[in-house]
């Protein structure tokens, strides 16, 4: 979780007054690029952290070295706790850390900081869905990543077949409520869905982690590859412009406007199979016209015949 790194970076700045991205990376055992992004995130949130170029430069916390949070003004403390509050809402340890940080503030700022923590709630469940709790194994996996220890996993694949393997944990990612573990294996780097991990045993063996590994950059690469696989088939459709936002909500980044056709928008949508596109569009009826390819049109026709065969005569009456 990046929130704990941001707190650690802030406290390090307060203790030293000035640090370089390299020094922060060494202290927190992260890449220099990640350290630089964390410092930029603090600055963007309104914390008085500024870069100083040139020899002897680095990142400084305006006001000099401090050992507590008493140097923050009211606006800066609110910015910090607005940034960290949602992250701590589901983590008892981080919530405890936030309470301790609040107590370190001047008394006049504490009420506003507490209000900032409560101002934003992160709710990962969609409408009509149950809350999605992090998998029970998260604590073990998180500790293995931090301590750089190998993990023996029992993993259930797509076909339900269970396999055992020993991996080098590299990082954990929360993707819309679903957790993924990036890890090194004998076959190279792999991505595991944590909810398919049936057991995880942290060993005493040191894990291998590339010195230049950047979790954010690596996850972006994984997402790009996955999105490419999910969009192997595309279709051109015509739709009334007022319904375009709804179409985009169905296809996400795989919906692209490519032109106009009279009073309608011409768009390209994509998925991993022609059948998947047809299934998403079938509920639109005549509101969407598929121009091409023929494979998607044929799938829509098949779905239409199935529905007609079942419902055209109406319900059976005993």
């Amino acid at each position: 979780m990046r929130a704990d790194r941001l707190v650690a970076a802030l406290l390090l700045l307060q203790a030293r007054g000035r640090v370089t991205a390299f020094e922060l990376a060494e202290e927190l055992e992260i890449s220099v690029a990640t350290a630089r992004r964390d410092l930029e995130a603090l600055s963007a949130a309104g914390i008085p952290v500024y870069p100083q170029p040139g020899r002897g430069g680095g990142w400084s916390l305006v006001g000099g070295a401090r050992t507590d949070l008493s140097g923050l003004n009211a606006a800066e403390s609110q910015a910090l706790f607005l940034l960290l509050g949602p992250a701590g809402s589901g983590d008892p340890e981080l919530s405890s850390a936030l309470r301790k940080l609040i107590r370190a503030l001047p008394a006049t700022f504490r009420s506003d900081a507490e209000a900032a923590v409560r101002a934003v709630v992160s709710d990962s469940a969609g409408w009509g869905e149950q809350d999605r709790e992090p998998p029970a194994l998260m604590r073990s996996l998180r500790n293995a990543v931090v301590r750089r220890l190998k993990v023996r996993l029992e993993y259930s694949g797509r076909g339900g077949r269970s396999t055992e393997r020993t991996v080098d944990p590299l990082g954990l990612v929360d993707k819309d409520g679903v957790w993924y573990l990036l890890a090194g294996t004998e076959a190279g780097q792999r991505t595991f869905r944590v909810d398919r991990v049936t057991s995880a045993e942290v060993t005493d063996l040191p894990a291998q982690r590339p010195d230049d590994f950047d979790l954010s950059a690596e996850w972006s690469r994984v997402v790009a590859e996955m999105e490419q696989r999910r969009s192997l088939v595309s279709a051109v459709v015509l739709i009334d412009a007022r319904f375009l936002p709804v179409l985009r909500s169905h296809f996400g980044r795989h919906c692209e406007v490519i032109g106009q056709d009279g009073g309608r928008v011409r768009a390209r949508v994509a998925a991993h199979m022609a059948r998947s596109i047809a299934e998403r569009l079938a509920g639109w009826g005549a509101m969407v016209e598929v121009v091409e390819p023929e494979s998607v049109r044929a799938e829509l026709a098949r779905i239409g015949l199935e529905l007609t065969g079942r419902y055209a005569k109406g319900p059976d009456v005993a």
Side-chain angles (χ1 to χ4, degrees):
M1 185 178 296
R2 193 172 75 159
D4 55 1
R5 291 205 318 269
L6 296 178
V7 172
L10 179 59
L11 295 178
L12 187 64
L13 278 163
Q14 290 169 339
R16 297 186 181 179
R18 177 185 301 171
V19 296
T20 65
F22 178 79
E23 291 170 341
L24 182 62
E26 288 286 305
E27 289 284 345
L28 302 185
E29 298 184 345
I30 57 178
S31 71
V32 174
T34 299
R36 188 175 294 111
R37 278 197 294 270
D38 286 350
L39 290 165
E40 291 171 350
L42 284 171
S43 180
I47 310 303
V49 177
Y50 297 97
Q52 294 182 334
R55 186 172 183 177
W59 289 77
S60 297
L61 184 64
V62 173
R66 290 187 277 273
T67 56
D68 56 33
L69 298 178
S70 61
L72 295 178
N73 63 34
E76 292 161 356
S77 64
Q78 289 175 33
L80 174 64
F81 288 98
L82 278 170
L83 181 70
L84 302 180
S89 60
D91 189 320
E93 292 181 352
L94 188 53
S95 295
S96 176
L98 288 173
R99 288 194 297 270
K100 292 176 182 178
L101 290 172
I102 289 174
R103 287 198 294 268
L105 288 170
T108 54
F109 294 169
R110 287 175 195 162
S111 61
D112 285 346
E114 291 171 344
V117 168
R118 297 192 299 266
V120 179
V121 170
S122 178
D123 182 1
S124 60
W127 295 109
E129 297 180 355
Q130 293 182 343
D131 290 337
R132 290 175 285 187
E133 296 293 335
L137 297 171
M138 282 297 299
R139 182 179 294 274
S140 295
L141 293 174
R142 194 162 49 208
N143 288 339
V145 171
V146 172
R147 297 170 58 196
R148 297 193 178 189
L149 295 175
K150 290 181 181 290
V151 180
R152 292 191 186 96
L153 296 181
E154 187 172 336
Y155 189 74
S156 178
R158 288 183 178 275
R161 187 170 65 92
S162 182
T163 60
E164 292 185 3
R165 63 193 83 186
T166 300
V167 303
D168 298 310
L170 300 174
L172 290 158
V173 176
D174 177 8
K175 176 70 169 175
D176 193 26
V178 179
W179 284 92
Y180 294 87
L181 170 69
L182 273 64
T185 72
E186 293 182 353
Q189 184 176 304
R190 294 292 184 269
T191 303
F192 302 92
R193 278 187 61 141
V194 176
D195 57 4
R196 291 180 182 162
V197 176
T198 54
S199 69
E201 178 188 353
V202 181
T203 73
D204 294 328
L205 302 173
Q208 301 297 316
R209 180 186 176 99
D211 292 336
D212 60 349
F213 181 78
D214 185 322
L215 181 59
S216 296
E218 194 58 31
W219 179 249
S220 296
R221 183 191 65 78
V222 171
V223 170
E225 288 184 0
M226 184 62 67
E227 293 290 0
Q228 187 174 12
R229 294 176 191 171
R230 290 166 58 91
S231 59
L232 297 179
V233 178
S234 64
V236 176
V237 302
L238 295 175
I239 185 172
D240 193 301
R242 59 181 171 161
F243 298 126
L244 180 62
V246 182
L247 185 69
R248 279 181 166 151
S249 71
H250 282 199
F251 287 90
R253 68 177 68 187
H254 300 305
C255 177
E256 173 191 8
V257 175
I258 57 177
Q260 299 286 332
D261 192 314
R264 294 186 293 179
V265 172
R266 182 178 291 263
R268 179 179 288 110
V269 296
H272 65 293
M273 293 189 305
R275 179 172 181 171
S276 296
I277 298 177
E279 288 173 346
R280 295 188 197 184
L281 296 178
W284 289 76
M287 294 169 61
V288 172
E289 177 185 351
V290 176
V291 179
E292 58 180 43
E294 187 57 37
S295 58
V296 175
R297 293 167 61 91
E299 285 292 338
L300 280 169
R302 179 190 60 78
I303 293 172
L305 287 173
E306 286 183 358
L307 294 174
T308 300
R310 173 160 296 185
Y311 300 109
K313 296 179 182 180
D316 294 334
V317 179

